[in-house]
Amino acid sequence: FCEGYVREYFGLPFVRFLPGSIFYQFIEWKEEKEAKNYPGFSQAEYQLHLADKRLEEIRNLIDRGEEKRELYSKTLDKLDSEILQAIQAVEQAEKEGMNMYLSWQKISEHLSSLSLHLNTFVQRKIPGEIFEEIDDANLRVEKYKHDIQKHIWYSEDLQTKRFVYSIPFPAEYKLFY
């Protein structure tokens, strides 16, 4: 392994088949089938995992020197779709009365990570039209991140600040601030 590779792409899932492979349709079918097994925020987490896979596919296409714009375009559209499905899953859980504050924070952090990776791809030597595709995808990720900030409420005023606690077992607790 190249040490820079491990540092730059740590945490992205392994992909066996890339878009354009004859086996890729099987991967799509399998992922679609598996997505039905996850309710609520688990669905959002699974969709974000798939978004990471799309990101790794893009990285592999770049590393391979792939120049077919349609492969990038299709994969980036799927990345976009995975993000939207994750957001919709959390919105649905929120409509059902669940407190999804921490889930929105996790999605926001995940979108920051996706954007960071897309930025590293844009800095590499890639053909102009593929650069534009990746740059546009990054702008969409940043827009989603901005849009979900309405679900994450911040305030420096301790009198009005919202706190979320996870209490592991019943007991008496004191809060210090």
Side-chain angles (χ1 to χ4, degrees), residues 42-106:
S42 296
Q43 171 73 31
E45 287 179 319
Y46 182 70
Q47 295 303 146
L48 291 174
H49 168 74
L50 293 180
D52 285 345
K53 285 185 81 169
R54 303 297 83 89
L55 200 63
E56 182 64 5
E57 289 168 357
I58 293 293
R59 188 194 63 75
N60 277 291
L61 289 172
I62 292 170
D63 286 351
R64 191 170 75 180
E66 183 61 60
E67 293 185 8
K68 292 181 184 172
R69 182 179 184 171
E70 63 271 6
L71 291 179
Y72 290 94
S73 182
K74 195 174 181 183
T75 306
L76 289 166
D77 286 347
K78 286 170 60 179
L79 170 74
D80 204 48
S81 175
E82 308 298 359
I83 294 169
L84 285 173
Q85 289 178 50
I87 291 170
Q88 290 168 352
V90 174
E91 285 175 340
Q92 181 61 36
E94 200 168 53
K95 285 179 187 172
E96 294 170 2
M98 297 176 73
N99 182 350
M100 301 307 289
Y101 179 78
L102 294 176
S103 300
W104 287 118
Q105 282 187 318
K106 286 181 184 178

Side-chain angles (χ1 to χ4, degrees), residues 12-25:
L12 293 180
F14 173 76
V15 293
R16 182 168 293 155
F17 301 108
L18 294 177
S21 163
I22 59 172
F23 298 107
Y24 194 73
Q25 291 177 348

Side-chain angles (χ1 to χ4, degrees), residues 111 137-149:
L111 292 177
N138 191 31
L139 290 173
R140 288 192 304 272
V141 169
E142 287 295 324
K143 181 187 179 310
Y144 296 141
K145 189 175 143 191
H146 178 266
D147 290 349
I148 67 170
Q149 292 305 308

Side-chain angles (χ1 to χ4, degrees), residues 6 9-13 52:
V6 173
Y9 299 105
F10 179 76
L12 293 180
D52 285 345

Side-chain angles (χ1 to χ4, degrees), residues 99 101 153 155 157-165 175-177:
N99 182 350
Y101 179 78
W153 190 71
S155 171
D157 180 9
L158 290 178
Q159 298 295 322
T160 59
K161 189 167 187 163
R162 180 195 307 182
F163 296 90
V164 178
Y165 299 97
L175 300 176
F176 299 96
Y177 57 95

